[in-house]
Amino acid sequence: MVSKESRQKVRVKKHMKIRNRFSGTTERPRLAVFRSNNHMYAQIIDDTVGNTLVAASTVEGEVKSQLEKTNNVDAAAYLGTVIAKRAIEKGIDTVVFDRGGFIYHGKIAALADAAREAGLKF
């Protein structure tokens, strides 16, 4: 009988393959994205020292108050603009995009496109 690995295990395995290929530097940090069933999270990370430089999520009060739902494509797009504005305020304009093992489609693509439109380069 063939048994399938759970989607969570497959996603984590994909994420580790992605993380082995690149990492965030001081000049070009990593934009890491995670989505759960209810919320989305985005962080800009400098992997050389292991610091989170900028973070935003749909759990935060100021972001959540602007959204009708926290787990749809519109919420992802709004989160992309928020993270990009916060990064540009800190002087970060180019990043490496880490999709976290998720398929580049739907919410992940919406977040990335919104961040690009707001001024981040990747």
Side-chain angles (χ1 to χ4, degrees):
M1 186 166 124
V2 177
S3 62
K4 292 173 78 175
E5 274 189 296
S6 71
R7 287 183 181 211
Q8 171 72 16
K9 286 183 182 176
V10 170
R11 185 194 69 79
V12 169
K13 190 185 259 186
K14 282 183 193 174
H15 189 209
M16 293 317 299
K17 284 181 182 178
I18 291 168
R19 288 286 291 117
N20 284 334
R21 272 185 260 151
F22 62 81
S23 66
T25 62
T26 307
E27 302 84 39
R28 194 167 177 194
R30 176 172 57 100
L31 171 60
V33 177
F34 177 76
R35 72 174 170 82
S36 68
N37 287 338
N38 297 324
H39 295 284
M40 288 198 70
Y41 308 84
Q43 301 181 69
I44 296 181
I45 304 166
D46 180 2
D47 289 316
T48 57
V49 289
N51 284 344
T52 298
L53 307 171
V54 181
S57 71
T58 57
V59 178
E60 297 174 11
E62 62 187 56
V63 175
K64 195 174 189 177
S65 65
Q66 300 293 320
L67 301 171
E68 188 177 325
K69 291 181 76 177
T70 58
N71 63 348
N72 59 8
V73 175
D74 297 331
Y78 183 73
L79 186 64
T81 58
V82 168
I83 193 80
K85 287 177 185 174
R86 290 182 185 176
I88 290 170
E89 286 174 6
K90 288 255 184 159
I92 301 166
D93 61 342
T94 56
V95 294
V96 176
F97 187 67
D98 177 8
R99 60 187 171 89
F102 297 102
I103 297 169
Y104 187 82
H105 188 267
K107 297 174 197 171
I108 303 296
L111 188 142
D113 293 339
R116 280 191 193 103
E117 288 175 15
L120 278 182
K121 295 181 192 115
F122 55 93

